[in-house]
Amino acid sequence: MPDDASLTPLPEKVEVAIIGGGYTGLSAARTLAKSGVKVAVLEANTIGWGASSRHGGMVLTGLKPGMQSVIKKYGRDIAKRLFKCSLDSIDTVEQIVGEENIDCGFARCGHLLAANKPKHYEALKAEVEFMDREFNHKVRLISRAEQGSEIGSAVYHGALLDECSGGLNPAQYVTGLASAAERAGATLHMRARVIRLGRRERRFLLETERGSLSAESVFVATSGYTGNVTKKLQRKIIPIGSYIIATEKLSDDLVKELIPGDRMVFDYRHYLNYFRLWDNRLIFGGRAAFFPETSRTIQRSADILRREMIQVYPQLKDAKVEYVWGGTLDFAFDMMTHVGQADGIYYSLGYAGHGVAMATYLGQTVAEAMMKGDIREHPFASFSFPGAPLGLYDGFPWFLPFAGAWHKILDWVE
Ligand SMILES: Cc1cc2nc3c(=O)[nH]c(=O)nc-3n(C[C@H](O)[C@H](O)[C@H](O)COP(=O)(O)OP(=O)(O)OC[C@H]3O[C@@H](n4cnc5c(N)ncnc54)[C@H](O)[C@@H]3O)c2cc1C
């Protein structure tokens, strides 16, 4: 952490105060500042400290819930608008990376959804036809026989390939996005945890750990780290840990064998694994522990993930694991992403591990809606943001061990 002298002083007054300095907050700040709005980003730790610098770097099409269930729940029209947002979100990342010259290895390398069981592959066959019919979105099957050209592992029963998705380096992207927001005129304030949010007449008052400021509007962009400063939102978000290991640098030949097309890969399970290459390392992640990151959950996850990795790739049994880390995901009770305004406070939350492109896009589009003063037309504001069943949740996810066990059972039977 930098010392106090190097911290940007807080302004007294801004038009918009953004709480949270990840993709959502920075993308919103860039958009607002480009339109001449006076905006400050207040970040509790360092800029990009949260999930935005620690994720798997997969820039994915679609939403966390499958589109079949989205159609069933919300109808065709909303589902089509939401799916289009997901495609636009990848275009948005590509455009920002190009316009702002962000050196983060962004590439449209495509993603693979790998079938853990033969019946998953049957479901993927139906998905290819469904995505074409409903969304005119072309995805392709990779049979078990041809799988070696995509994944150097025998454990899967084929896969689905979506060539529209991409990959990038998380920390490089967040650093680039932060510089872009600053160049546009936003001020970024690290070590400025908001500890109280109140109102005086028509303005918001934000008290931080190192001073206060007032704002006409507030945007909450705190994802899995949403705390009790915004208690109503905290009670709608379940923080869930996700963990990643990175191997030592592997030989070029081994790298070519593991994922020959350099694609982003994840499997079909509830307790899913995801993996990709970066800089000749295999980056292998999963929901090894459900609770958010602590030194204990990180250490336990390292062992679990290494075992999982070797199951997928026995050829890595002697490869050293050089890094392990964890971060927190934000799940809403319906697993959907939600944007909106509550008590005059704007928010974009609930990415459910699918937020690299979406956080960038929603940061931008919610900021645009703020400038218009109306967010009701936003596709992600067109359905309600549920709280816990029976209200049995105050922000501490006591039920996670049960949810973890339930997911394991589902993976066993489905
Ligand atoms: C291990 C892991 C792997 C993932 N892999 C992928 C992937 O491959 N593809 C994908 O699409 N998504 C992935 N995700 C999800 C993705 O990273 C997130 O959805 C996205 O980064 C969310 O961005 P954000 O800006 O909303 O939140 P964050 O980047 O989490 O930022 C929130 C910030 O708010 C700050 N904050 C909280 N409270 C306060 C306060 N009171 N005052 C000031 N600041 C506060 C926190 O310090 C934090 O920095 C992954 C996430 C994790 C953890």
Side-chain angles (χ1 to χ4, degrees):
M1 278 272 194
D3 58 22
D4 287 357
S6 61
L7 298 177
T8 320
L10 295 182
E12 245 173 65
K13 270 182 169 188
V14 289
E15 288 171 271
V16 179
I18 297 175
I19 311 179
Y23 297 150
T24 306
L26 296 170
S27 172
R30 173 181 175 269
T31 305
L32 291 163
K34 278 180 113 169
S35 296
V37 174
K38 184 166 187 206
V39 52
V41 176
L42 306 168
E43 165 54 51
N45 299 286
T46 46
I47 299 297
W49 171 91
S52 296
S53 59
R54 315 181 195 190
H55 57 79
M58 306 191 177
V59 186
L60 303 172
T61 57
L63 311 178
K64 175 65 185 175
M67 291 314 296
Q68 305 202 24
S69 67
V70 176
I71 286 196
K72 246 187 233 146
K73 195 158 175 199
Y74 303 105
R76 266 201 175 74
D77 286 352
I78 291 186
K80 287 198 168 162
R81 291 176 73 201
L82 298 180
F83 187 73
K84 178 165 185 313
C85 289
S86 90
L87 300 183
D88 290 350
S89 72
I90 303 180
D91 292 345
T92 305
V93 172
E94 189 165 39
Q95 191 190 344
I96 293 178
V97 165
E99 267 177 31
E100 305 288 355
N101 228 340
I102 302 178
D103 181 11
C104 61
F106 175 81
R108 291 264 187 176
C109 50
H111 83 245
L112 289 161
L113 167 54
N116 303 80
K117 297 178 182 178
K119 66 178 170 188
H120 297 163
Y121 189 66
E122 291 307 310
L124 292 180
K125 278 186 189 161
E127 182 75 3
V128 172
E129 195 268 324
F130 166 81
M131 290 307 290
D132 191 17
R133 184 182 71 236
E134 296 291 349
F135 301 100
N136 192 24
H137 184 68
K138 313 281 180 228
V139 287
R140 171 155 83 76
L141 285 171
I142 308 290
S143 69
R144 190 171 192 174
E146 43 174 1
Q147 186 175 282
S149 63
E150 292 286 356
I151 313 175
S153 167
V155 297
Y156 297 115
H157 295 265
L160 179 140
L161 169 63
D162 186 335
E163 292 186 282
C164 203
S165 294
L168 51 68
N169 177 299
Q172 289 175 348
Y173 178 52
V174 81
T175 307
L177 195 56
S179 306
E182 273 188 314
R183 273 198 303 278
T187 57
L188 312 184
H189 307 276
M190 66 176 117
R191 263 174 59 190
R193 178 184 299 279
V194 177
I195 49 178
R196 200 156 300 121
L197 175 57
R199 293 199 83 138
R200 186 177 301 149
E201 289 155 15
R202 296 172 70 91
R203 293 184 73 82
F204 289 95
L205 285 184
L206 297 102
E207 195 182 317
T208 81
E209 281 171 342
R210 60 180 176 96
S212 304
L213 72 162
S214 82
E216 280 165 30
S217 307
V218 172
F219 185 168
V220 177
T222 45
S223 188
Y225 301 92
T226 302
N228 62 10
V229 168
T230 51
K231 190 74 194 165
K232 282 189 187 160
L233 293 172
Q234 185 190 24
R235 295 185 65 180
K236 292 183 169 189
I237 289 294
I238 312 161
I240 293 188
S242 190
Y243 299 85
I244 295 183
I245 54 174
T247 64
E248 63 183 327
K249 287 197 182 195
L250 307 169
S251 71
D252 290 346
D253 286 349
L254 191 49
V255 160
K256 266 256 154 296
E257 180 188 324
L258 299 180
I259 312 178
D262 203 9
R263 304 204 194 269
M264 305 289 120
V265 191
F266 51 93
D267 70 27
Y268 200 92
R269 294 179 306 178
H270 295 274
Y271 231 102
L272 89 172
N273 287 324
Y274 49 91
F275 46 97
R276 60 164 307 177
L277 298 163
W278 179 263
D279 196 20
N280 272 39
R281 300 174 193 275
L282 187 74
I283 311 293
F284 192 96
R287 223 144 286 160
F290 260 64
F291 274 110
E293 69 277 14
T294 59
S295 50
R296 211 173 128 253
T297 57
I298 289 175
Q299 195 42 54
R300 263 189 46 212
S301 300
D303 298 336
I304 296 171
L305 288 174
R306 183 161 189 281
R307 278 202 300 276
E308 297 266 332
M309 178 182 79
I310 293 170
Q311 251 176 36
V312 177
Y313 288 122
Q315 56 274 57
L316 292 182
K317 71 175 183 344
D318 296 323
K320 279 201 207 85
V321 169
E322 287 193 345
Y323 299 98
V324 53
W325 66 93
T328 303
L329 311 173
D330 53 340
F331 275 75
F333 282 88
D334 58 359
M335 292 222 289
M336 290 291 283
T337 307
H338 295 273
V339 309
Q341 201 216 81
D343 307 329
I345 296 168
Y346 290 83
Y347 58 84
S348 177
L349 297 166
Y351 299 110
H354 206 103
V356 175
M358 213 38 116
T360 307
Y361 173 77
L362 293 181
Q364 179 171 313
T365 53
V366 171
E368 285 161 0
M370 287 175 88
M371 289 188 279
K372 276 200 269 162
D374 188 358
I375 195 155
R376 285 169 305 179
E377 292 301 309
H378 196 295
F380 278 89
S382 60
F383 43 92
S384 64
F385 191 174
L390 308 172
L392 288 174
Y393 176 59
D394 71 350
F396 175 72
W398 53 269
F399 42 78
L400 282 186
F402 307 105
W406 177 238
H407 276 168
K408 281 190 175 155
I409 293 168
L410 287 178
D411 282 333
W412 194 42
V413 294
E414 283 186 352

